[in-house]
Amino acid sequence: VFDADDYIISYQGNEDFLGGCDIDLSGAVTGRVMNFELELAGIPVNKAKGKKPRLTIVVTVYKEVIPKPDPLMDQLLSSVRKMEYIREVVGKVVKAQALRNADLVGASDPQCIVRVILLNGEAREIHRTEVIKDNLDPEWHEGFHAKFEHDEQPLLLVFDVWDCDSPTKPAEESGEHLGSAVIPLLDCLPPVVRKHKLDLQGETQLH
């Protein structure tokens, strides 16, 4: 409450402050009329001439409950009529041929690591074949299977072949890289059985 000496609102602070008060409305019931007789505070008692200045007000609060919004992905899904995504990948690592010999004694001990690259950049391993000893033309015939949610879309299948030299350490730590191959999963649609013969590249795709 201020003592307004002018007929216009002043923002220069030249009105005298007569006191202030506040009300906690957090527990108010919607639509209920509330009467308050409040003591004004914030001024010296001598200015109030020994009396406690008071302010009477009437307040009615109207509340509205707003539901919490759904997660953004749920909002997106509910806004589209049809959405296609890759939910499952099924394949088989059959064999490799004419691999490089990375061992001084005997031949390479190849192992194939299968990973998917997701839309968010994650590289996720989904299968690791058995190690075949001393063989430059290994045959694995091992299947792999992975499922995905709508918010973790796979983009690429990556195959890394390694010479595994240690029975206790992963091939990528103990051996040498023998080659990599990549399949874009869009090339695998629509979902029918396909056979891919891939050329191995010299540089590893494992990062």
Side-chain angles (χ1 to χ4, degrees):
V1 179
F2 290 88
D3 173 27
D5 296 323
D6 299 320
Y7 291 103
I8 60 175
I9 298 175
S10 172
Y11 297 98
Q12 298 179 355
N14 57 358
E15 286 110 353
D16 292 328
F17 180 62
L18 302 180
C21 56
D22 56 69
I23 303 172
D24 182 6
L25 297 177
S26 60
V29 178
T30 182
R32 178 180 295 178
V33 179
M34 297 177 291
N35 294 275
F36 295 92
E37 185 175 341
L38 306 170
E39 181 179 331
L40 295 177
I43 60 172
V45 177
N46 59 350
K47 283 192 176 184
K49 298 181 180 180
K51 298 180 181 179
K52 294 183 178 180
R54 308 182 75 82
L55 177 68
T56 301
I57 60 174
V58 178
V59 178
T60 304
V61 175
Y62 297 94
K63 294 183 177 180
E64 181 180 356
V65 178
I66 301 176
K68 181 181 179 180
D70 294 329
L72 291 179
M73 181 57 68
D74 292 344
Q75 295 182 46
L76 175 62
L77 291 177
S78 63
S79 67
V80 297
R81 294 184 178 180
K82 182 179 180 181
M83 177 178 177
E84 293 184 356
Y85 67 95
I86 298 174
R87 64 177 177 82
E88 194 169 2
V89 174
V90 180
K92 177 185 287 188
V93 181
V94 180
K95 62 182 179 180
Q97 294 176 300
L99 295 177
R100 177 174 62 87
N101 187 6
D103 291 345
L104 295 177
V105 179
S108 295
D109 308 315
Q111 180 183 51
C112 183
I113 301 173
V114 185
R115 293 174 298 125
V116 290
I117 307 300
L118 303 183
L119 182 61
N120 62 7
E122 177 188 352
R124 181 182 301 176
E125 181 177 325
I126 59 175
H127 185 71
R128 188 176 289 243
T129 67
E130 295 292 330
V131 177
I132 298 182
K133 295 290 187 180
D134 297 322
N135 198 325
L136 301 181
D137 301 292
E139 294 191 13
W140 291 286
H141 297 280
E142 293 187 24
F144 57 87
H145 182 196
K147 292 185 177 182
F148 305 93
E149 299 295 334
H150 55 74
D151 57 349
E152 52 178 16
Q153 278 303 281
L155 301 179
L156 302 172
L157 269 178
V158 180
F159 302 86
D160 273 305
V161 181
W162 291 80
D163 171 35
C164 186
D165 290 331
S166 172
T168 59
K169 294 182 179 180
E172 58 270 32
E173 295 181 9
S174 63
E176 293 187 41
H177 180 250
L178 301 179
S180 293
V182 177
I183 299 178
L185 285 174
L186 288 179
D187 293 347
C188 301
L189 297 175
V192 295
V193 177
R194 292 178 173 86
K195 188 173 183 180
H196 293 268
K197 190 173 183 179
L198 307 172
D199 293 329
L200 292 176
Q201 306 298 318
E203 294 296 327
T204 178
Q205 301 299 310
L206 186 62
H207 301 293

